[in-house]
């Protein structure tokens, strides 16, 4: 065997190893981008669930309370008419489900701050229209800016710990602005990111580190999948899934159903009062 043959074999092995390392690195980069897109989707849905839950409570909470009160009044009217111990027990049970009337401190909790009455409280006391509740979800433009920032500034794209921490602190601010639906704040953050230091140059990693990175990404995705499943299985999450494009319409439909139920119960109560 000539001296050239071992050299050729060594060269071929080196070339194969380089190609394998390149494929592995491409797999890691693809997994990183897939994870970021998944995180964006989960965070977007989490904000929608949180905002929809708040709006659901604000708009429909009083209706549910009214239905509970009507159930208690009907049960009490039936018990008063029959005197049956079982009916009396049911009446007490129904009354126990009705939330007690708040005290003075609770009534004014959140109404008065260092600047005096809140806008909502002032509107109620002066009979002016109350400011409409916030949108169920951020605007399309806010969603676009958020996605762009999340893709550019995501901490998982950093190799150095200092850069990862810088990105993490920045993303916390981005998430807060997005959750509040603050489109202007997101624009300011986008300008801040563009004016900031460029991301550090990525350096080639040893194969062992790339494999470890893939494992971490898989674990992270599994955790996010559990969060997404919990959100989707929640009552509010299921409601949003029923009308993903127009959840406001779903609230209107539920409100109509609750009003119809209240009307039926009021009619029943009126019959018992005769």
């Amino acid at each position: 065997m000539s001296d050239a043959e071992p050299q050729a074999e060594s060269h071929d092995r080196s070339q194969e190893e380089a190609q394998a390392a390149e494929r592995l690195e491409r797999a890691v980069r693809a997994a990183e981008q897939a994870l970021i897109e998944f995180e964006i989707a989960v965070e977007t849905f989490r904000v929608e669930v949180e905002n929809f839950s708040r709006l659901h409570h604000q708009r429909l909470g009083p209706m549910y309370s009214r239905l509970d009160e009507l159930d208690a009044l009907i049960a009490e009217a039936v018990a008063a008419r029959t005197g049956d111990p079982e009916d009396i027990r049911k009446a007490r049970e129904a009354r126990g489900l009705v939330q007690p009337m708040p005290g003075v401190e609770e009534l004014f909790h959140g109404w008065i701050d260092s600047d005096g009455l809140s806008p909502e409280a002032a509107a109620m006391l002066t009979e002016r229209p109350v400011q409409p509740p916030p949108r169920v979800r951020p605007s399309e433009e806010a969603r676009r800016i958020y996605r762009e920032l999340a893709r550019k500034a995501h901490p998982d794209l950093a190799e150095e710990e200092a850069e990862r921490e810088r990105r993490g602190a920045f993303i916390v601010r981005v998430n807060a602005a997005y959750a509040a639906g603050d489109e202007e704040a997101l624009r300011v953050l986008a300008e801040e990111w563009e004016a900031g230091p460029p991301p550090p140059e990525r350096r080639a990693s040893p194969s062992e580190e790339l494999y470890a990175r893939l494992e971490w990404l898989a674990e992270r995705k599994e955790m996010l999948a559990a969060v997404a499943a919990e959100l989707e299985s929640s009552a509010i999450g299921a409601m949003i899934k029923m009308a993903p494009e127009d959840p406001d319409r779903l609230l209107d439909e539920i409100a109509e159903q609750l009003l119809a139920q209240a009307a039926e119960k009021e009619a029943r109560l009126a019959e018992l009062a005769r």
Side-chain angles (χ1 to χ4, degrees):
M1 179 183 294
S2 65
D3 294 339
E5 291 179 349
Q7 292 178 358
E9 291 179 0
S10 177
H11 175 74
D12 291 342
R13 283 197 301 271
S14 298
Q15 193 172 26
E16 289 176 1
E17 290 173 359
Q19 291 174 347
E22 185 179 351
R23 288 195 297 271
L24 182 56
E25 188 164 358
R26 285 201 302 267
V28 169
R29 304 298 169 254
E32 286 176 343
Q33 291 301 318
L35 179 63
I36 289 172
E37 294 298 325
F38 190 43
E39 285 195 39
I40 290 172
V42 173
E43 176 63 14
T44 298
F45 190 57
R46 186 196 67 77
V47 169
E48 291 177 1
V49 168
E50 183 177 296
N51 289 345
F52 189 83
S53 177
R54 184 163 49 247
L55 190 61
H56 178 271
H57 177 74
Q58 183 175 351
R59 288 184 57 183
L60 303 184
M63 295 186 183
Y64 287 119
S65 297
R66 177 57 179 164
L67 289 174
D68 288 342
E69 175 66 21
L70 286 170
D71 284 337
L73 290 173
I74 290 172
E76 288 167 351
V78 170
R81 175 173 292 189
T82 65
D84 186 280
E86 180 62 16
D87 289 337
I88 294 173
R89 184 194 64 78
K90 291 180 180 178
R92 288 175 179 168
E93 189 175 274
R95 177 55 61 186
L97 295 176
V98 178
Q99 292 189 358
M101 290 294 292
V104 175
E105 296 81 2
E106 295 173 272
L107 279 172
F108 284 93
H109 178 68
W111 281 27
I112 299 178
D113 53 26
S114 58
D115 297 323
L117 285 173
S118 68
E120 291 79 8
M124 292 181 69
L125 293 176
T126 57
E127 297 184 354
R128 293 198 305 270
V130 179
Q131 184 177 0
R135 290 173 56 88
V136 172
R137 60 178 65 183
S139 67
E140 287 300 320
E141 179 64 11
R143 292 163 66 127
R144 183 193 68 77
I145 299 173
Y146 167 75
R147 289 192 180 100
E148 185 175 339
L149 283 172
R151 293 182 182 115
K152 289 181 178 179
H154 201 283
D156 289 348
L157 295 177
E159 290 288 349
E160 302 294 333
E161 184 61 29
E163 175 65 9
R164 187 176 296 111
E165 290 179 1
R166 183 181 81 87
R167 287 168 173 262
F170 183 79
I171 286 297
V172 167
R173 295 164 58 200
V174 170
N175 287 341
Y178 180 67
D182 194 335
E183 188 176 314
E184 181 58 30
L186 286 170
R187 286 199 182 93
V188 171
L189 287 167
E191 293 175 0
E192 178 182 328
W193 179 258
E194 292 301 325
E201 291 293 328
R202 298 195 68 118
R203 295 177 298 181
S205 302
S207 297
E208 294 78 8
E209 292 187 7
L210 289 174
Y211 278 118
R213 181 69 167 162
L214 280 175
E215 290 178 0
W216 182 88
L217 290 168
E219 291 173 0
R220 176 72 175 167
K221 185 175 182 181
E222 185 177 349
M223 183 274 291
L224 286 170
V227 172
E230 184 176 353
L231 286 170
E232 291 179 352
S233 64
S234 67
I236 296 296
M239 290 171 67
I240 292 178
K241 285 292 186 181
M242 292 172 60
E245 299 303 323
D246 189 11
D248 284 328
R249 177 180 58 78
L250 183 59
L251 283 180
D252 292 338
E253 292 177 358
I254 296 174
E256 290 179 4
Q257 295 173 5
L258 294 178
L259 286 172
Q261 293 177 27
E264 293 177 1
K265 292 179 186 295
E266 285 170 351
R268 168 66 173 154
L269 184 62
E271 292 178 0
L272 291 170
R274 291 176 185 171

